[in-house]
Amino acid sequence: MKINSDCIRDVLIAVENLPSGNDAMGLSVPGYSEEEIASCVRDLHEKGFIEAFFLYADGTSLFNISGLTDEGRQLLDELRENKVKRFLRKNGKGILSFLIDHLLPFLK
């Protein structure tokens, strides 16, 4: 399965937002199928980015998530930063133009 960096980021954010001290059986992330989420959770666990426990029964994968590891927090910070950089690269000129047109008059 192809790596989906958006799914990885969104799953890490969902895990980060879990109530402290509460494990989550399964995970719901809008915009992704259960299969995509399970695959992403499995990959993140195998790479050491999240703490999770898996059960396999009748061809179904169930998982219990405890939280992010320190490496998972670092990865999430990097993914967030990269998203901002991509947005600014794509829209930077428009943002700069907007700021000049709308904020410069207030600075005079």
Side-chain angles (χ1 to χ4, degrees), residues 77-94:
D77 289 342
E78 290 173 17
L79 290 171
R80 284 178 172 147
E81 187 176 307
N82 287 338
K83 184 177 181 181
V84 170
K85 286 179 184 177
R86 280 193 311 266
F87 175 81
L88 290 176
R89 265 190 241 122
K90 181 179 176 183
N91 301 300
K93 291 180 182 177

Side-chain angles (χ1 to χ4, degrees), residues 8-98:
I8 289 171
R9 183 191 65 247
D10 294 342
V11 166
L12 287 171
I13 290 169
V15 172
E16 179 185 52
N17 290 330
L18 291 173
S20 181
N22 293 332
D23 290 0
M25 182 58 103
L27 192 66
S28 177
V29 182
Y32 303 100
S33 69
E34 289 181 20
E35 181 181 296
E36 288 173 304
I37 295 168
S39 176
C40 187
V41 166
R42 191 176 344 11
D43 290 344
L44 287 168
H45 172 69
E46 288 174 359
K47 302 288 189 224
F49 295 117
I50 62 173
E51 296 172 359
F53 175 76
F54 290 85
L55 297 170
Y56 301 96
D58 298 327
T60 303
S61 173
L62 302 172
F63 53 88
N64 185 41
I65 300 173
S66 301
L68 296 174
T69 63
D70 290 339
E71 292 81 8
R73 286 183 192 86
Q74 290 174 342
L75 176 61
L76 181 55
D77 289 342
E78 290 173 17
L79 290 171
R80 284 178 172 147
E81 187 176 307
N82 287 338
K83 184 177 181 181
V84 170
K85 286 179 184 177
R86 280 193 311 266
F87 175 81
L88 290 176
R89 265 190 241 122
K90 181 179 176 183
N91 301 300
K93 291 180 182 177
I95 292 171
L96 183 58
S97 176
F98 173 83

